[in-house]
Amino acid sequence: MSPLHKPGTSWDSVYGRCRSAAPEAFGADRVHNHWGGRWHADGVPRPAFSPVDGREIAGPPMLDAATAERAVAAAADAHESWRRRPLRERRSKVRATLASWREHRDLLALLLVWEIGKPWRLACQDVDRAISGVEWYLDEVEDMLAGREALPGPVSNIASWNYPMSVLAHAMCVQALAGNAVIAKTPTDGGLCCLTLAVALAVREGLPLTLLSGGGRELSPVLVRSPRIGCVSFVGGRDAGGQVATALADLGKRHILEQEGLNCWGVWEFSDWETFGAQVRATFDYAKQRCTAYPRFVVQRCLFDRFLAAYLPAVTSVRFGDPLAVERPGDDYPDLDFGPLISAAKAKDLAGLVDDAVAKGAIPLYRGTLDQGRFPTGGDTDAYLAPVTLLEPPRASPLFHAEPFGPVDTIVLVDTEAELLAAMNASNGALVGTVSCDEESTAIRLAAQVRAFKVGVNRPRSRGDRAELFGGWGDSWRGAFVGGRLLVHAVTVGPPDERLPGNFPDYTLRPAGLAVG
């Protein structure tokens, strides 16, 4: 029997549920922007297509710079009122927002499936982590705010598409809880409806949130350089992050710029291959489209045969395909490691980079095919890419030094500790790293020299939740670090002589309590 889409999950059905849940935010044929305290059917909707099967879905209503300026001015006015609200009132409104998110949890998750291709399990995790993460701040925020006050203006968020709930919506709630009005630009590549529904439910409860769609060229100057903005929070690639950093250079404005880095996993004097194989399989979650994915393995040459014996069974067992495809109508959602990439264009570009690397000398150790995935007969599979593993990518290839943001692993062989560290630090800074080594003292010594914010010993590291801190070294991060108390401190004002932990133009300060392990 050919797989079919699970009944009740069609895009038309899901969008209809959005219209029923928040008719003020979702029109019959377009999504609205929210600014000045109400929803607006403004902007020009841009065509958008689901990576799941290529069908057209609701696209972002793109605003011009003049409208964005009016929206920022309105958000700044709302900020002056909100920052004076007592904490107990802000807590109550945030708590009510989480209750509403929980009520609509399955709809938010289905939107993540359709808009950005997350398998059901991972889509639910994204929503659940947003809720549980903000709940932790509700309990802890009072101590974090002691001796602090809200910023002089609203927080402006420009974030990538891959985690609309657990990164962006989560941060927006914490920023509001800390006393700030909040502005967010919807990611143009995906997540529009999920984020719009989350914001619609939040503004009903009284949170001062502004949600705008638009291109970076038109909106970024307003959302970054406006003198009424109190802080800029950016999550994305180095090119776009560098442009934001340049725009901020002469403003002295509070900023949080999370940028990509090549997260590496080093293997040195190691023997626990059974554990390692299971860890490799897990690295393919969401097709490695996450800021803490591990696309590069740096392996001691004399261990390569044993590494390969553990790695290949893991990569060949990865499950991928259409995240809505089931064998029978009553089946549960498929349990997949990943679905599509964010777009057909991304899949095509990454396949081209693989072909180019091989043509320049990389050795293809493994190349999966779409025949290994599960898809409805005749379905559009242009946004899908099977796992690929390349040995020794050439320096002339972008895959040597940049994060692929897709299911492509590269392996570099080394003979000395110095070569290991040089290879692991190829991108001049990363968010996470791991060293697998039997001797713990050796692993800790090597890990301390890896330029990643978090380095695991014999285990992967991730962004983390609740009290766990997060940031990046080198070119992977600019501005204040976040996570736990640092997220609240980054969006509030403390003592006049305060130096926030982070990477700033005139200093870098490592946060207390950050450890290797």
Side-chain angles (χ1 to χ4, degrees), residues 175-253:
Q175 292 161 5
L177 181 63
N180 303 290
V182 180
I183 304 167
K185 187 177 92 66
T186 61
T188 52
D189 289 329
L192 166 72
C193 291
C194 178
L195 193 58
T196 299
L197 179 59
V199 168
L201 299 174
V203 298
R204 282 184 182 176
E205 304 300 339
L207 294 192
L209 307 185
T210 295
L211 187 64
L212 310 174
S213 290
R217 180 174 300 178
E218 291 77 20
L219 264 59
S220 288
V222 181
L223 299 181
V224 173
R225 291 191 62 87
S226 170
R228 305 196 71 175
I229 295 292
C231 175
V232 176
S233 178
F234 169 88
V235 179
R238 289 193 178 183
D239 289 344
Q243 294 172 10
V244 172
T246 299
L248 287 169
D250 59 342
L251 300 179
K253 191 188 299 290

Side-chain angles (χ1 to χ4, degrees), residues 105-106 108-114 116-131 161-167 194 281-290 293 318-321 323 333-340:
R105 179 255 203 179
D106 285 3
L108 290 164
L110 262 177
L111 289 167
L112 292 179
V113 175
W114 272 112
I116 62 176
K118 285 200 171 185
W120 177 250
R121 171 177 58 87
L122 300 179
C124 291
Q125 283 181 8
D126 195 13
V127 180
D128 292 344
R129 284 180 58 197
I131 295 170
W161 45 265
N162 51 344
Y163 285 91
M165 291 299 298
S166 64
V167 174
C194 178
R281 165 74 180 274
T283 68
F284 279 90
D285 267 3
Y286 193 35
K288 303 199 179 224
Q289 296 179 107
R290 52 196 303 176
V318 168
R319 298 163 300 190
F320 66 94
Y333 293 95
D335 186 12
L336 303 174
D337 295 299
F338 65 87

Side-chain angles (χ1 to χ4, degrees), residues 7-130:
T9 66
S10 71
W11 172 254
D12 289 344
S13 172
V14 171
Y15 190 79
R17 289 169 62 184
C18 289
R19 294 203 66 207
S20 296
E24 68 275 25
F26 296 92
D29 57 356
R30 59 166 298 144
V31 178
H32 301 160
N33 291 292
H34 185 266
W35 58 273
R38 62 187 182 90
W39 293 93
H40 300 261
D42 54 7
V44 180
R46 192 181 81 170
F49 302 89
S50 171
V52 171
D53 62 4
R55 76 182 57 208
E56 187 166 2
I57 59 175
M62 310 291 274
L63 294 175
D64 57 27
T67 305
E69 287 177 357
R70 293 197 297 272
V72 168
D77 292 341
H79 179 82
E80 290 305 313
S81 171
W82 180 256
R83 67 186 301 191
R84 293 177 174 82
R85 303 282 182 93
L87 177 58
R88 66 177 181 277
E89 181 181 344
R90 303 198 303 265
R91 265 183 171 151
S92 176
K93 293 180 183 297
V94 171
R95 187 171 285 111
T97 295
L98 299 186
S100 191
W101 285 359
R102 190 176 289 107
E103 178 185 352
H104 294 87
R105 179 255 203 179
D106 285 3
L107 178 54
L108 290 164
L110 262 177
L111 289 167
L112 292 179
V113 175
W114 272 112
E115 294 190 285
I116 62 176
K118 285 200 171 185
W120 177 250
R121 171 177 58 87
L122 300 179
C124 291
Q125 283 181 8
D126 195 13
V127 180
D128 292 344
R129 284 180 58 197

